[in-house]
Amino acid sequence: MKRDALFNMIEQQIRPWDVSNPAVLKLLHDLPRAGFLPASHQAFAYVDTELPLVIDGVDTGTQLLTPRVVARIVQAVDVQKNETVAQVGLGDGYMAALLARFAKTVTVYELNETILHFAQRNLNQHHVRNVNYELGDGLKLSTEKFDVLVLAGSVAHLTHTMKQRIHVGGRLFAIIGTAGAPTMHAVLVHRVGESDWTQEVLFETIAPALTQSDTRPTFVF
């Protein structure tokens, strides 16, 4: 039954949303989302809706991105085996696990210690070993640069400091918009030179704000 639900998610939600990369589609099949959710929500793992992250019966106030949005992000950033990735906002660890399968390393930043430990247990149980964990503000914690930076929640705007966190040739994914807006824009930023970036709008969506001190937040992913 669960495998049928997973297959239907991929064929009816993911593929129609312009996710066609064979490696991404295979990974979604090989690494089922249900294994990252609390037992109380596993029945909804393949439903096209945001889910609350409830840990040990306590609602953390975190909303998890839908599977189709996660898949679209992973396809868009197109991580290569020699690349370093940073993800700001950790949630259940599912997206970090997907990114880690393609990356050299993934560094995850999370402000909520309970969420960080929950996701870390999930990743360990799925034998994902190339992840580094940082408890704190991923937008200000360090000046380290990465090949790929994923902001796993919405921000009101992209600052110059955020864009500086990727190497030349690197990519930054973000959902830009404010609470109450009718829609937000998911964008992919490419750093094409030391002082030059390009920005492409990928799709429209709505996502809770990333809880980081740059963004006047309400949620963490």
Side-chain angles (χ1 to χ4, degrees), residues 9 25 28 43 65 84 86 96 103 128 147 154 156 164 176 186 190 192 218:
M9 179 194 77
L25 293 170
L28 293 171
L65 292 169
T84 59
V128 182
D147 298 303
S154 64
Q164 287 282 355
I176 303 176
H190 291 262
V192 296
T218 55

Side-chain angles (χ1 to χ4, degrees), residues 42-64:
Q42 288 180 0
F44 306 101
Y46 309 118
V47 177
D48 186 24
T49 187
E50 293 176 356
L51 293 175
L53 180 56
V54 178
I55 300 175
D56 297 328
V58 178
D59 189 342
T60 63
T62 295
Q63 294 291 112
L64 302 172

